[in-house]
Amino acid sequence: MSMILAVAKNRVMNLKRDRAAFTLAFILPVAFFTIFAAIFSGAGKAATRKIPLIVVDEDGSDASRQFVAGLKAEAGLSVGLKPGEENDPNGPLYTAAQAEQAVKKGEAPVALIVPKGFGAHPLAFGPGSERSTVRVLADSSDPIAPQVVNGLVQKVAMTSMPAALARSGMSELEKWSGGLTPEQRARMEEAIGAIDRARDGAAAASGAGRANAGLVAVETRDVVGGKKKNPTVTFYAAGLGVMFLLFSATGAGGALIEEAESGTLDRILSTRVSMTRLLLGKLLYLGGVGVVQLCLMFVWGALFFGLELWNHLPGFFVMTIATAAVSSAFGLMLASVCRSRMQLVALSNLSILLMSALGGSLFPRFLMSEKLQKIGLITLNAWALDGFQKIFWRDEPVWAIWPQVAVLVGLGLLFFFVARRVAERWEAT
Amino acid sequence: MPAEALPLEIRDVSKSFADRRALDGVSLEMRPGEILGLLGPNGAGKTTLVRSVASRVVPDSGTVRILGFDAADPRARAVRGWVPQEIALYPLLSPKENLWTFGRYQGLSGGALDRGIAASLDWIGLADRADDKTDKLSGGMKRRLNIAAGTIHDPRVLLLDEPTVGVDPQSRERIYAMIGELKGRGVSLLYTTHYMEEAERLCDRIAIIDHGKIIASGTKEDLVRKTVGTRQAVAVDAAAPIPAALWDRLAGLGAQRDGQQVRLSVEDPAAEIRRLLDLFHSAGVPVRDLTLKAPTLEQVFLQLTGRELRE
């Protein structure tokens, strides 16, 4: 037992000597808990997700305006009516075509088209009733948003259009009861008018009604990804691929620390190899390994999980090379900054898991709150995944990924520059 | 290459780390084809000096020139080889792969590289282990490979930093033979060691560094003559107690006594030992043992630095 304790104590002594590793070993779990709690448990406003919804009101009737206003009042939705600045009073409204295009581009996961004639027959009870059909255009990469929107459409119909609801009820009553007398009809109209006046006077109707599917007819159409064989595979291939690329790049970058510790780095730098050449050589190797890793992962996905690789090859290669380059530069930067393997392991675990969580490798970013989605953009994962999604999910052409590629290349250059500067400590003193 | 440039010319080099002065105006020359030994106690500035020559330390002042080129100049890198004290190799790579790596880093390629690898493997006796993992080799084998990795490009000037540390006597002999072969090829060597006998055996000249300064340099004989002189130590162990009469006569010769042992410093051993033995014989005292010891580098070192080399 005393020997076992001695071994344990020896490890504690080692850890205490490496202060950075010591600190990270204890910061790591707390940091992760905080990040994951924010993302998954919805703690705090930052994590509350509002679903971006584009609404096109083709009808322009009182009823449709009430309906749209009801949707805007919903806390769970972030309604956009204009492709430009939302608060610009003269800004043009979305057309149905523009809304569809916006969903295809990933600007919003859902668009809702209120068709002409909606005001005349907004609601109906039961099948066969005369009513307008609201169209929902969905991006099937987000399976939750269209369902939430569908539910909220029913709720808003009940709470924001009480007069329309009553009229529909009256017409159903007439239809099934054999007709109302003029006097009964007059009284009903008077009551409906009172409902309208009360609604106008009230600040906002509070939604207490149960969402009644079928009150508003909704037709949902997947405008993106509907024909994909296996939609989630793209997400996981890119997400996990980028995360493991980062892990393997930092692990392999650690060779630099081993070379420094063994004296091999000293020997190398006394030859004709300069530090810049050494780092560029390592970058080339790490990048090459990264490209092979991603190729393997996607080919595997194509062969066994229906990932549509073969018709997206150009975009795949551009994204793969950019992602492998930036991941390699990141690995080199971490290895240059760290003084020991222990530090590198701790720092890489912390930074990569953090970036993967925020950047969408572990949990899709579109399911996070807008604020977290914006924060996620500081990670290279987010940009890499966005690029892969554009190619594989939205079938966008290669040129469309230039913002993602530009950011990744820029980050790669920045990481390499930092690595080179920090590596000066190994040069002749 | 500058005409008649020395293999190594160090002029007035100083270097400080924080408030510690590691080198303090060091000047040293190495002549073509010689093995120059660098001795010094720990912390004397040996490593800093070697690293300056290897262009891993930039001097605060002074110059380090290799065959006329500044130590950091690419032309100096091409003609210089460095065998660091550590086994600075890739343990998972084979000897062949390690040699390929350092050959390429020194600018060899194609046939020259292939020939260099083959010749090096033969030279260090590892041709039959060429494809094994380096970390599976014995300590002596790794040491030899460490030397080959620093010489694969046929350097004209070689820095050898304690190349025999931690190896068994047999491997050490083999390394001595390799160093002899390098010298035979005309390579000029700067050799640091903690083993005095190694310095005495291998080095043509020796420089002793202490407190960042070269405090003496020259051949072993020069150093001995300048510091401890040329007198040799004689010790005689008597097989019986030394009578007072005999002792009086020995004391007259300047001898010192320690029990039954008598010690004496002599200038002409052949004549003086004969006189000494005659005295013992005349007094009827049998002699059990007699030793004659020439002054050693160890004594020189002790005299100059006040410390043992391995302190």
Side-chain angles (χ1 to χ4, degrees):
Chain A
M1 186 61 194
S2 64
M3 287 300 115
I4 295 171
L5 287 175
V7 171
K9 190 176 175 185
N10 170 271
R11 292 320 304 163
V12 171
M13 289 190 293
N14 270 288
L15 185 62
K16 277 164 77 178
R17 287 282 169 203
D18 195 343
R19 286 191 185 168
F22 183 81
T23 312
L24 286 169
F26 296 103
I27 287 179
L28 199 69
V30 177
F32 274 100
F33 171 73
T34 310
I35 298 294
F36 279 74
I39 294 173
F40 293 109
S41 74
K45 283 186 179 174
T48 311
R49 184 193 179 211
K50 276 190 169 191
I51 293 169
L53 172 69
I54 293 171
V55 175
V56 181
D57 182 3
E58 291 184 332
D59 189 35
S61 64
D62 283 349
S64 70
R65 277 197 290 272
Q66 280 174 25
F67 180 59
V68 172
L71 288 171
K72 286 181 88 169
E74 275 303 322
L77 296 175
S78 170
V79 172
L81 300 172
K82 298 169 184 172
E85 184 55 48
E86 198 64 36
N87 296 325
D88 179 3
N90 300 319
L93 297 167
Y94 272 112
T95 63
Q98 283 173 328
E100 180 165 342
Q101 211 47 43
V103 172
K104 280 182 177 168
K105 282 186 177 172
E107 290 165 17
V110 205
L112 187 137
I113 317 291
V114 182
K116 273 195 189 316
F118 175 83
H121 303 286
L123 310 169
F125 297 104
S129 308
E130 192 183 349
R131 56 180 174 176
S132 318
T133 302
V134 168
R135 283 179 287 144
V136 168
L137 309 177
D139 174 351
S140 58
S141 68
D142 184 344
I144 295 165
Q147 293 183 35
V148 172
V149 167
N150 210 330
L152 288 173
V153 161
Q154 307 305 332
K155 175 196 165 190
V156 167
M158 292 195 69
T159 55
S160 69
M161 301 190 298
L165 188 64
R167 275 198 188 91
S168 294
M170 187 173 77
S171 97
E172 289 296 312
L173 185 67
E174 269 195 291
K175 185 175 164 187
W176 299 107
S177 65
L180 298 173
T181 64
E183 190 182 349
Q184 283 171 323
R185 177 179 292 281
R187 279 188 190 168
M188 287 290 284
E189 287 294 347
E190 191 183 339
I192 289 168
I195 291 172
D196 263 344
R197 285 191 298 277
R199 192 192 66 84
D200 292 343
S206 64
R210 185 170 64 88
N212 186 353
L215 203 59
V216 173
V218 176
E219 174 197 280
T220 303
R221 180 163 63 91
D222 288 333
V223 294
V224 190
K227 293 174 188 164
K228 302 282 174 193
K229 285 187 241 165
N230 199 345
T232 52
V233 161
T234 311
F235 167 74
Y236 286 111
L240 294 179
V242 172
M243 188 172 79
F244 280 101
L245 212 60
L246 285 168
F247 272 122
S248 68
T250 45
L256 199 58
I257 293 173
E258 278 158 20
E259 284 169 341
E261 286 173 348
S262 70
T264 313
L265 187 60
D266 253 345
R267 173 175 237 167
I268 293 168
L269 294 175
S270 79
T271 66
R272 299 193 196 184
V273 178
S274 64
M275 182 55 93
T276 303
R277 282 179 179 172
L278 181 73
L279 291 182
L280 283 173
K282 289 184 182 294
L283 188 72
L284 183 66
Y285 160 73
L286 295 174
V289 170
V291 167
V292 173
Q293 278 180 323
L294 279 180
C295 284
L296 268 176
M297 189 161 235
F298 275 76
V299 167
W300 188 262
L303 291 177
F304 299 104
F305 297 99
L307 194 149
E308 294 168 2
L309 173 63
W310 316 118
N311 47 349
H312 295 108
L313 281 177
F316 166 73
F317 279 122
V318 171
M319 277 314 298
T320 293
I321 290 168
T323 307
V326 68
S327 305
S328 309
F330 180 78
L332 271 187
M333 181 180 72
L334 283 196
S336 303
V337 167
C338 293
R339 307 257 162 178
S340 69
R341 264 278 179 190
M342 271 166 92
Q343 280 185 18
L344 180 65
V345 168
L347 188 63
S348 59
N349 281 346
L350 175 67
S351 55
I352 294 170
L353 287 176
L354 206 64
M355 286 183 354
S356 299
L358 280 174
S361 279
L362 300 175
F363 184 70
R365 281 175 65 239
F366 54 73
L367 296 180
M368 298 178 196
S369 70
E370 273 181 73
K371 193 171 179 184
L372 270 180
Q373 286 190 35
K374 277 185 185 154
I375 292 172
L377 287 175
I378 61 168
T379 70
L380 67 89
N381 302 55
W383 291 94
L385 294 188
D386 281 355
F388 277 109
Q389 289 292 86
K390 273 189 170 179
I391 295 295
F392 283 93
W393 192 258
R394 306 187 191 289
D395 295 323
E396 292 194 29
V398 176
W399 58 262
I401 53 172
W402 74 263
Q404 283 73 25
V405 172
V407 169
L408 291 177
V409 170
L411 281 174
L413 289 172
L414 175 70
F415 294 154
F416 186 80
F417 176 75
V418 173
R420 180 65 191 84
R421 285 301 299 270
V422 176
E424 280 175 6
R425 70 188 158 100
W426 284 313
E427 288 188 283
T429 50
Chain B
M1 199 168 298
E4 294 177 30
L6 288 169
L8 175 63
E9 194 176 2
I10 299 168
R11 285 273 167 271
D12 208 20
V13 166
S14 294
K15 178 71 185 179
S16 296
F17 296 105
D19 55 351
R20 189 176 63 82
R21 202 161 175 79
L23 295 178
D24 189 4
V26 169
S27 292
L28 193 63
E29 286 179 357
M30 186 158 69
R31 294 165 194 161
E34 79 169 350
I35 302 181
L36 175 63
L38 185 63
L39 301 182
N42 287 331
K46 243 178 11 249
T47 303
T48 307
L49 185 59
V50 171
R51 288 174 66 80
S52 301
V53 181
S55 72
R56 297 294 300 129
V57 162
V58 181
D60 297 334
S61 62
T63 56
V64 179
R65 302 188 82 78
I66 294 169
L67 288 165
F69 304 117
D70 183 84
D73 189 296
R75 289 167 294 184
R77 290 170 189 264
V79 295
R80 175 189 62 211
W82 180 28
V83 179
Q85 189 178 337
E86 305 84 16
I87 305 285
L89 299 167
Y90 291 97
L92 297 182
L93 298 190
S94 67
K96 196 191 236 174
E97 290 164 336
N98 267 299
L99 289 171
W100 182 91
T101 301
F102 290 104
R104 282 295 296 126
Y105 287 179
Q106 282 292 3
L108 299 182
S109 60
L113 180 59
D114 293 340
R115 284 191 297 279
I117 293 170
S120 296
L121 287 169
D122 275 341
W123 183 51
I124 60 177
L126 287 182
D128 58 333
R129 304 286 302 270
D131 297 315
D132 290 0
K133 271 189 189 174
T134 295
D135 65 358
K136 300 287 179 204
L137 302 178
S138 70
M141 288 173 180
K142 284 182 197 162
R143 281 276 159 204
R144 299 203 301 270
L145 182 59
N146 205 31
I147 294 173
T151 57
I152 186 169
H153 58 299
D154 275 333
R156 304 261 317 269
V157 177
L158 182 64
L159 316 179
L160 279 163
D161 196 358
E162 310 225 10
T164 58
V165 164
V167 301
D168 59 82
Q170 195 183 350
S171 297
R172 192 174 294 177
E173 283 302 322
R174 187 146 191 182
I175 291 173
Y176 292 160
M178 286 167 61
I179 290 165
E181 286 170 34
L182 286 169
K183 184 176 159 68
R185 285 187 222 162
V187 179
S188 309
L189 293 104
L190 180 67
Y191 194 99
T192 71
T193 180
H194 263 91
Y195 300 114
M196 201 62 80
E197 58 277 21
E198 221 170 70
E200 289 188 9
R201 175 175 168 176
L202 297 174
C203 299
D204 299 306
R205 286 192 312 127
I206 289 158
I208 295 175
I209 186 170
D210 197 19
H211 298 299
K213 292 181 177 175
I214 300 290
I215 52 175
S217 68
T219 62
K220 180 200 159 190
E221 290 73 24
D222 283 345
L223 291 173
V224 166
R225 196 170 49 246
K226 285 181 199 161
T227 50
V228 292
T230 53
R231 296 181 75 83
Q232 300 183 41
V234 177
V236 178
D237 284 332
I242 299 171
L246 174 59
W247 175 242
D248 286 345
R249 299 190 70 177
L250 290 170
L253 296 174
Q256 289 179 316
R257 187 178 168 183
D258 183 7
Q260 287 183 195
Q261 189 184 66
V262 174
R263 288 195 301 270
L264 188 64
S265 172
V266 298
E267 187 66 47
D268 180 0
E272 293 182 50
I273 288 173
R274 183 177 177 176
R275 200 181 311 144
L276 198 63
L277 292 177
D278 279 346
L279 287 175
F280 274 86
H281 181 69
S282 308
V285 176
V287 169
R288 191 174 60 196
D289 195 15
L290 183 144
T291 55
L292 173 67
K293 206 171 171 187
T296 61
L297 211 49
E298 189 82 47
Q299 288 169 285
V300 173
F301 193 84
L302 194 61
Q303 174 107 357
L304 288 171
T305 66
R307 283 180 278 178
E308 298 277 348
L309 186 57
R310 279 168 215 168
E311 271 178 21

